[in-house]
Amino acid sequence: MTLPRIKVLALGGTIATRPDASGAMQMGLGADDLVAAVPALAVLAAIDAETVSKVGSHSLGFDQIHALATRIAALDVDGVIVTQGTDTLEETSFLLDLLLDRDIPVIVTAAMRNPALTSPDGPGNLLAAVRVACDPWVRAHAKALGVMAVMLDEVYAASDVLKVHPTRLNAFAAPQTGPLAALVEDRVVPLSLPVREALTAARARIGDTSGGKEAPVALLWLGLDEPGYLLEALVDHRNQLGYRGVVLGAMGGGHVPERVAGLVMQLADLMPTVVAPRAGGGPMLKQTYGGPSSEIALRKAGLIWGGRLNPLKARVLLETCLRAGLDRAAIAEVFEPWG
Ligand code: ASP
C-alpha cells in the first residue's frame, strides 16, 4: 500500500526548542528532529520534512506566512503539516486559510509543553496532525474543512480556533463552534464541517495578494472609561504613525465608551476601522441599541462590523484586504458576511 505523502514544514516555536547551558529553552530543533522523535509517523505516511525557520511564533510576520502559503500552494503532496509556536497559531492558521485554496489537508500544530519537560505534547500533537492528514474522511472533505489546527487530540477550524490560556496544556478551543473532529485510540472521529461561506467570499474578493505590501493595522482594546489618547494620536498623526487600518476590540455587541465615540467616528472617516467583539468572538448586534456610541450610530458613521471574528482574526482579515489593495467599500463587503 502506498502511504500518503505528507510534507512537514517547521517554523519554530516551543515544539522546536531545546535547553541551552543555563537551562533556558532556545529555538534549536528542525523539522527532521521533530519527525525523528516520533517513529510511529513512518507507519502512517511518507514524510518529507523541511525546516523553514527557527523562530518563536510571537516573532513571525505576515510576509513570512504569505511566503509559506505560496510554498504550500505549489507542493505536490497529499497533505501538509505546519509546526510552529502556539502564541500566534490562531492568527497564522486563519491567514493560511484566507490565502490557500487546496483540496488536501493543511494542518497547523504546535506544543504547549517544551521537550525538556515531563510529557511534552509536541510529539503527540505531530502524530495526531499526521493521523488527521491521512484520515480518509478528512482527505475526502479537505476543501470543506479548510486549514485546520490540531492540538491535544482535537481538530479545529482555522476561523474558529483561539488560544484561550497562556500556559496550560489544553490551551486551545473553538468556543463558538467546538471541534471538527476528535482523535481517540487510532481513529479520527468526525464531529462537524465548518460554515465557510464568509471565508470563501472573502478569498474570492481578496484575490491575488502576491504584489501586496505590508499594511500595518492597529489593534486597540477598549476598556472601562478609556480616555482615547491613542485614538486621538491615530486621528492627528495618521501619516507619521503609518497605520493603514484599525481594529477596535469593542464592548458587548459593538459598543464603545461614549467619551470616545466622536474620535472613533473621525477615525472611520480616515481609514478602514473595524469593530470586533472584545468578548472573544460571536456575532455582534446591528440594530438593537440607540445612543451616540452604540451599534446603530457606529454603523451609520461607517464603522465596519467584524461580525463573529474575534479582534485578532479581524486584524488578520483587514491586513489581508489592505495588502490586496481593497478600498473601504470593498473591505466592508468582505466583513459583512461574517455575521
Ligand atoms: N512563544 C512560543 C511561540 O509561540 C510559545 C509556544 O510555542 O507555545 O513560539
Side-chain angles (χ1 to χ4, degrees):
M1 190 186 76
T2 341
L3 294 176
R5 298 160 305 151
I6 304 294
K7 182 84 178 181
V8 174
L9 296 164
L11 303 188
T14 290
I15 193 169
T17 54
R18 58 181 171 204
D20 66 15
S22 75
M25 299 308 289
Q26 303 279 3
M27 294 303 141
L29 304 180
D32 285 332
D33 302 310
L34 301 185
V35 171
V38 192
L41 292 175
V43 181
L44 294 174
I47 307 267
D48 178 24
E50 181 183 326
T51 305
V52 176
S53 61
K54 291 186 177 178
V55 296
S57 75
H58 43 275
S59 300
L60 287 170
F62 280 99
D63 287 349
Q64 280 160 283
I65 303 303
H66 278 265
L68 182 69
T70 305
R71 176 107 182 72
I72 293 172
L75 288 173
D76 176 21
V77 290
D78 300 311
V80 179
I81 313 290
V82 175
T83 64
Q84 64 157 89
T86 60
D87 288 349
T88 58
L89 190 150
E90 59 199 310
E91 293 156 272
T92 56
S93 58
F94 181 53
L95 179 54
L96 286 174
D97 206 9
L98 283 169
L99 300 175
L100 288 169
D101 188 14
R102 293 221 55 175
D103 55 2
I104 55 167
V106 177
I107 295 169
V108 186
T109 192
M112 288 301 295
R113 288 171 66 79
N114 71 59
L117 294 170
T118 305
S119 65
D121 53 328
N125 285 341
L126 180 57
L127 180 60
V130 172
R131 204 183 284 292
V132 171
C134 298
D135 178 76
W137 178 79
V138 172
R139 290 179 71 181
H141 294 89
K143 221 180 166 86
L145 288 161
V147 174
M148 293 162 274
V150 170
M151 292 295 288
L152 207 60
D153 287 344
E154 289 195 326
V155 183
Y156 304 103
S159 319
D160 298 303
V161 68
L162 301 182
K163 185 173 183 182
V164 294
H165 197 277
T167 53
R168 72 182 186 214
L169 200 54
N170 57 337
F172 285 82
Q176 296 185 69
T177 54
L180 304 174
L183 288 109
V184 60
E185 298 170 338
D186 60 356
R187 290 170 291 131
V188 175
V189 180
L191 299 173
S192 62
L193 286 171
V195 174
R196 287 173 63 75
E197 278 76 0
L199 187 124
T200 46
R203 198 195 272 146
R205 191 75 207 228
I206 287 164
D208 181 18
T209 56
S210 55
K213 294 251 170 328
E214 178 188 40
V217 174
L219 173 58
L220 299 182
W221 214 257
L222 297 177
L224 179 71
D225 205 18
E226 165 62 48
Y229 305 137
L230 286 173
L231 290 166
E232 215 164 75
L234 280 167
V235 168
D236 293 344
H237 307 290
R238 179 196 165 191
N239 293 333
Q240 294 94 311
L241 288 174
Y243 287 111
R244 295 190 36 215
V246 181
V247 172
L248 301 172
M251 290 137 159
H255 306 146
V256 303
E258 210 165 303
R259 67 188 288 193
V260 300
L263 281 169
V264 162
M265 291 175 185
Q266 280 182 59
L267 201 54
D269 271 348
L270 295 174
M271 62 180 112
T273 303
V274 173
V275 171
R278 72 171 199 182
M284 294 189 296
L285 300 173
K286 288 187 175 173
Q287 51 185 19
T288 298
Y289 291 101
S293 66
S294 288
E295 71 277 5
I296 294 174
L298 294 177
R299 283 171 63 78
K300 206 177 274 172
L303 274 296
I304 297 167
W305 237 225
R308 71 183 188 84
L309 291 174
N310 87 337
L312 290 171
K313 291 187 198 279
R315 179 173 170 273
V316 168
L317 182 57
L318 182 54
E319 209 275 352
T320 312
C321 289
L322 289 166
R323 187 181 280 252
L326 267 53
D327 64 15
R328 221 206 74 87
I331 293 171
E333 269 174 43
V334 166
F335 273 89
E336 195 56 22
W338 290 93

